[in-house]
Coordinates of all heavy atoms in Angstrom, one line a residue:
I4 N 7.9 11.9 7.5 CA 8.7 10.8 8.2 C 9.3 9.8 7.3 O 10.4 9.3 7.6 CB 7.8 10.2 9.4 CG1 8.6 9.4 10.3 CG2 6.6 9.4 8.8 CD1 8.2 9.3 11.7
F5 N 8.6 9.4 6.2 CA 9.1 8.4 5.3 C 10.3 9.0 4.6 O 11.3 8.3 4.3 CB 8.1 7.9 4.3 CG 7.0 7.0 5.0 CD1 5.9 6.6 4.3 CD2 7.1 6.6 6.3 CE1 4.9 5.8 4.9 CE2 6.2 5.8 6.9 CZ 5.1 5.4 6.2
I8 N 13.2 8.6 6.8 CA 13.6 7.2 6.9 C 14.5 6.9 5.6 O 15.5 6.3 5.7 CB 12.4 6.3 7.0 CG1 11.8 6.4 8.4 CG2 12.8 4.8 6.7 CD1 10.5 5.6 8.6
I13 N 16.3 9.0 10.2 CA 15.7 8.3 11.4 C 15.7 6.8 11.0 O 15.7 6.4 9.9 CB 14.3 8.8 11.8 CG1 13.3 8.7 10.7 CG2 14.4 10.2 12.3 CD1 11.9 8.9 11.1
P14 N 15.9 5.9 12.0 CA 16.1 4.5 11.8 C 14.8 3.8 11.3 O 13.7 4.2 11.6 CB 16.5 4.0 13.1 CG 16.0 4.9 14.1 CD 15.9 6.2 13.5
A15 N 15.0 2.7 10.6 CA 13.9 1.8 10.2 C 14.6 0.5 9.9 O 15.8 0.4 9.7 CB 13.2 2.3 9.0
F27 N 10.4 -1.2 4.2 CA 10.9 -1.3 5.6 C 9.7 -1.8 6.4 O 8.5 -1.7 6.0 CB 11.5 -0.1 6.2 CG 10.7 1.2 6.0 CD1 9.6 1.5 6.9 CD2 10.9 2.0 4.9 CE1 8.9 2.7 6.7 CE2 10.1 3.2 4.7 CZ 9.1 3.5 5.6
L28 N 10.0 -2.4 7.6 CA 8.9 -2.9 8.5 C 8.1 -1.8 9.0 O 8.6 -0.7 9.4 CB 9.5 -3.7 9.6 CG 10.3 -5.0 9.3 CD1 10.7 -5.6 10.6 CD2 9.4 -5.9 8.5
D29 N 6.8 -1.9 8.9 CA 5.9 -1.0 9.5 C 6.1 -1.1 11.0 O 6.1 -2.2 11.6 CB 4.4 -1.3 9.2 CG 3.5 -0.2 9.6 OD1 3.4 0.1 10.8 OD2 2.8 0.4 8.8
I30 N 6.2 0.1 11.7 CA 6.5 0.1 13.1 C 5.4 -0.6 13.9 O 5.6 -1.2 15.0 CB 6.8 1.5 13.6 CG1 7.7 1.5 14.8 CG2 5.6 2.4 13.7 CD1 8.4 2.9 15.1
S31 N 4.2 -0.5 13.4 CA 3.0 -1.1 14.1 C 3.0 -2.6 14.1 O 2.4 -3.2 14.9 CB 1.7 -0.5 13.6 OG 1.4 -1.1 12.3
Q32 N 3.6 -3.2 13.1 CA 3.6 -4.7 12.9 C 2.2 -5.2 13.2 O 2.0 -6.1 14.0 CB 4.6 -5.4 13.8 CG 6.1 -5.2 13.3 CD 6.3 -5.8 11.9 OE1 6.4 -7.0 11.8 NE2 6.3 -5.0 10.9
H37 N 4.5 -7.3 8.7 CA 3.9 -6.1 8.0 C 4.9 -5.1 7.5 O 5.8 -4.6 8.3 CB 3.0 -5.4 9.1 CG 2.3 -4.2 8.7 ND1 1.6 -3.4 9.7 CD2 2.1 -3.6 7.5 CE1 1.0 -2.4 9.1 NE2 1.3 -2.5 7.8
L39 N 6.1 -1.9 4.6 CA 5.7 -0.8 3.8 C 6.6 -0.7 2.6 O 7.8 -0.8 2.7 CB 5.7 0.5 4.6 CG 4.8 0.6 5.8 CD1 5.2 1.9 6.6 CD2 3.4 0.5 5.4
G84 N -3.6 0.1 0.3 CA -3.1 1.4 0.1 C -4.2 2.4 0.6 O -5.3 2.3 0.1
N85 N -3.8 3.3 1.5 CA -4.7 4.3 2.0 C -4.3 5.6 1.3 O -3.2 6.0 1.4 CB -4.6 4.5 3.5 CG -4.9 3.2 4.2 OD1 -5.9 2.5 3.8 ND2 -4.2 2.9 5.3
G91 N -8.2 6.8 5.4 CA -7.4 6.4 6.5 C -5.9 6.7 6.4 O -5.1 6.2 7.2
Q92 N -5.5 7.4 5.4 CA -4.1 7.7 5.2 C -3.6 8.6 6.4 O -4.3 9.6 6.7 CB -3.8 8.4 3.9 CG -2.3 8.6 3.6 CD -2.0 9.1 2.2 OE1 -3.0 9.6 1.5 NE2 -0.8 9.2 1.8
T93 N -2.5 8.3 7.0 CA -1.9 9.1 8.1 C -0.6 9.6 7.7 O -0.2 10.7 8.3 CB -1.8 8.3 9.4 OG1 -1.0 7.1 9.2 CG2 -3.2 7.8 9.9
V94 N 0.2 9.0 6.9 CA 1.5 9.5 6.4 C 1.3 9.9 4.9 O 1.0 9.0 4.1 CB 2.6 8.5 6.6 CG1 3.9 9.0 6.0 CG2 2.8 8.1 8.1
F95 N 1.5 11.1 4.6 CA 1.1 11.6 3.3 C 2.3 11.6 2.4 O 2.7 12.6 1.8 CB 0.5 13.0 3.4 CG -0.9 12.9 4.1 CD1 -1.0 12.9 5.5 CD2 -2.0 12.5 3.4 CE1 -2.2 12.7 6.1 CE2 -3.2 12.3 4.0 CZ -3.3 12.4 5.4
H98 N 2.4 5.1 -0.2 CA 3.0 3.8 0.2 C 2.0 2.7 0.1 O 0.8 3.0 0.1 CB 3.6 3.8 1.6 CG 2.5 4.3 2.6 ND1 2.2 5.6 2.8 CD2 1.7 3.6 3.5 CE1 1.3 5.7 3.7 NE2 1.0 4.5 4.1
H100 N 0.9 -1.0 1.9 CA 1.2 -2.0 3.0 C 1.1 -3.4 2.5 O 0.2 -3.7 1.7 CB 0.0 -1.9 4.0 CG -0.1 -0.6 4.7 ND1 0.2 -0.4 6.1 CD2 -0.6 0.6 4.3 CE1 -0.1 0.8 6.4 NE2 -0.5 1.5 5.4
Ligands
LIG201 P1 -1.2 4.9 6.5 O1 -2.2 5.0 7.6 O2 -1.6 4.1 5.3 O3 -0.8 6.3 6.1 O4 0.0 4.2 7.1 C1 1.1 4.8 7.7 C2 1.9 3.7 8.4 O5 3.2 4.2 8.7 C3 1.2 3.2 9.7 O6 0.9 1.8 9.6 C4 2.3 3.4 10.8 O7 2.4 2.4 11.7 C5 3.6 3.5 9.9 N1 4.7 4.3 10.5 C6 4.6 5.5 11.0 N2 5.8 5.9 11.4 C7 6.7 4.9 11.1 C8 8.1 4.7 11.4 N3 8.8 5.6 11.9 N4 8.6 3.5 10.9 C9 7.9 2.6 10.4 N5 6.5 2.7 10.1 C10 6.0 3.9 10.5

Side-chain angles (χ1 to χ4, degrees):
I4 191 149
F5 289 172
I8 289 174
I13 59 171
F27 49 86
L28 295 183
D29 189 303
I30 204 161
S31 71
Q32 288 296 283
H37 178 188
L39 299 173
N85 299 322
Q92 187 175 9
T93 58
V94 176
F95 293 90
H98 54 280
H100 295 251

